[in-house]
Amino acid sequence: MTQPLVTPTWLKQQLDANKDIIILDASIEFQIPLEPEKDKDGVIPKAQRFDYDTVFCDPDSSLPHMMPTEARFNTLASTLGITQESTIVVYDNSGTYASPRAWWMLKAMGISDVYVLSGGLPAWKAAGYECIDHYTSHAPSSASLSLDPHFFLSAEQVLSHSEKHNAHIVDARSLARFKGEVKEPRQGVRSGHIPTLFAYPLLSSSIVAR
């Protein structure tokens, strides 16, 4: 497959046929303004927790859920049984909100077969598939993944693109957050958007780019 989104039906077929598939719950705890209410009742079978807010992050950064170092990511990925050859599906309990960020992190570490469950846990339930009440443990692996730094830009690099108007900067938050009409979910974070003619709110929730 080449597309990043998969359906609940596809995932169910993979769960039945591929005992080695890795399912990661990338839900975030806090409520994003205008985001659908989180579904906190149950998890997809075989799911493991992929917490990029407090675990798969840079603990030395003052900013939330920053990409961890290559060494830290490999240490944590090993506990989930992840390797370069893994087939991974990430989902979240709001729909398709937090999981694309986890997808990007895994792609940045060089994993080819990683997908996002379209519609997340709500879509899985709507399809009538089973949920369980606990996460599943996986046999540890010896992850040896390599971080491609080109998957990320610094704030200074984005500022340069903004000032020079030489890039399309996509803001994937809601229109109200883009316009600064609602408070940001993180305390102390200013409202509004990057000052550039090329920043537009992305109204679809299928992609996260900011």
Side-chain angles (χ1 to χ4, degrees):
M1 285 181 51
T2 57
Q3 64 177 8
L5 293 174
V6 297
T7 65
T9 299
W10 182 91
L11 177 55
K12 180 64 168 62
Q13 292 170 346
Q14 293 299 307
L15 278 172
D16 292 340
N18 182 1
K19 64 182 180 62
D20 295 322
I21 191 169
I22 292 179
I23 314 297
L24 301 178
D25 179 355
S27 305
I28 54 177
E29 295 297 326
F30 62 88
Q31 187 73 34
I32 296 174
L34 305 181
E35 172 193 24
E37 196 68 28
K38 297 180 185 299
D39 186 339
K40 298 182 179 181
D41 184 19
V43 299
I44 294 175
K46 292 189 66 174
Q48 301 179 89
R49 186 74 173 104
F50 187 90
D51 181 359
Y52 63 69
D53 206 32
T54 63
V55 181
F56 275 84
C57 61
D58 180 358
D60 298 321
S61 175
S62 61
L63 298 172
H65 47 248
M66 293 295 99
M67 185 71 178
T69 64
E70 180 178 288
R72 178 177 172 84
F73 196 102
N74 273 300
T75 297
L76 294 168
S78 294
T79 67
L80 301 180
I82 293 174
T83 68
Q84 190 84 34
E85 293 74 33
S86 295
T87 297
I88 303 174
V89 177
V90 293
Y91 76 92
D92 63 69
N93 59 5
S94 298
T96 314
Y97 283 77
S99 48
R101 186 183 185 95
W103 173 84
W104 189 259
M105 294 169 69
L106 292 159
K107 295 292 284 188
M109 294 299 294
I111 301 176
S112 299
D113 294 330
V114 54
Y115 308 98
V116 173
L117 177 61
S118 183
L121 183 62
W124 176 265
K125 287 186 174 182
Y129 298 132
E130 174 193 13
C131 286
I132 59 177
D133 61 2
H134 60 276
Y135 291 115
T136 303
S137 297
H138 197 287
S141 65
S142 297
S144 183
L145 309 172
S146 297
L147 174 62
D148 183 347
H150 295 98
F151 274 69
F152 300 92
L153 294 179
S154 66
E156 291 76 18
Q157 289 172 305
V158 175
L159 175 61
S160 176
H161 285 304
S162 173
E163 292 175 338
K164 295 176 181 178
H165 291 186
N166 61 359
H168 292 280
I169 303 174
V170 179
D171 190 324
R173 300 170 304 158
S174 68
L175 184 60
R177 290 177 68 193
F178 177 80
K179 292 182 174 181
E181 296 172 346
V182 296
K183 291 183 178 180
E184 287 297 302
R186 299 279 185 182
Q187 187 174 1
V189 175
R190 291 175 294 169
S191 299
H193 61 268
I194 296 171
T196 172
L197 295 176
F198 297 102
Y200 301 97
L202 189 65
L203 301 182
S204 170
S205 63
S206 298
I207 303 173
V208 174
R210 181 181 184 273

